[in-house]
Amino acid sequence: MREYLKLRIIWSNSEDLSVAAAQTRASQQQLWVDVGRVLDATPEAALSQSLLEGMKQSFDLAAMRTSSRAARIPDRVFQVLILYAALSMVMLGYVLAYKNRRHYVATAILVLLVTISLTIILDLDRPRDGAIQVSQEALEDLWRLLN
């Protein structure tokens, strides 16, 4: 189990997921073999159920983390967001030109807010890059606890 946890931490911090994912799958298969041996040697149903449920939850969480790391905002959605931003700028320019007024502060604030919004969306879409990162502290704390 320690080796599996170490591999999950490596996977979490890795840029090349293919190697880490293959090692994780091999470790999961080995853990199932080891659990099978323990269950064969231990006839207690309560222990068997608890052990299987814990393994299943651990591997389900790993699968969820893998799929959430691979999930990205579709390019089309981001293109639509940029289109909305551009249209809002055009509309602001049209309204200000129609009234023969210049509002540099309002224009600057709108541009700034739209830019910050798009930047945050991109940053959240890539949890291992950028300013907003997903912490791996829980796995690292567990690793320290087991060692």
Side-chain angles (χ1 to χ4, degrees):
M1 191 63 168
R2 287 185 183 125
E3 181 64 27
Y4 176 71
L5 179 59
K6 181 180 176 186
L7 287 171
R8 291 307 298 170
I9 292 171
I10 291 170
W11 176 88
S12 297
N13 296 321
S14 175
E15 293 299 323
D16 181 19
L17 297 182
S18 59
V19 173
Q23 291 174 335
T24 299
R25 279 191 299 275
S27 181
Q28 284 178 344
Q29 290 171 351
Q30 183 59 46
L31 278 171
W32 279 123
V33 169
D34 294 343
V35 166
R37 281 192 218 125
V38 169
L39 294 178
D40 287 343
T42 309
E44 294 181 36
L47 176 64
S48 300
Q49 182 66 25
S50 298
L51 185 57
L52 285 175
E53 190 60 34
M55 292 292 290
K56 183 181 175 302
Q57 286 179 357
S58 175
F59 293 161
D60 287 348
L61 284 172
M64 285 181 5
R65 290 183 63 174
T66 301
S67 64
S68 66
R69 186 167 176 184
R72 295 278 186 249
I73 294 174
D75 289 340
R76 179 57 104 197
V77 171
F78 196 68
Q79 291 167 355
V80 169
L81 287 173
I82 291 175
L83 177 66
Y84 287 170
L87 287 175
S88 68
M89 301 299 163
V90 168
M91 288 172 51
L92 178 66
Y94 177 77
V95 168
L96 293 177
Y98 182 74
K99 293 187 175 190
N100 280 334
R101 294 182 179 169
R102 292 184 180 177
H103 290 282
Y104 294 115
V105 174
T107 304
I109 289 173
L110 179 65
V111 169
L112 181 66
L113 290 175
V114 168
T115 303
I116 289 172
S117 298
L118 292 174
T119 303
I120 289 173
I121 290 169
L122 277 176
D123 205 6
L124 288 172
D125 188 43
R126 289 158 179 80
R128 298 298 308 150
D129 303 323
I132 304 171
Q133 294 191 1
V134 177
S135 173
Q136 303 306 319
E137 191 170 345
L139 283 178
E140 291 164 359
D141 287 346
L142 182 59
W143 173 255
R144 283 189 290 274
L145 182 68
L146 290 176
N147 288 322

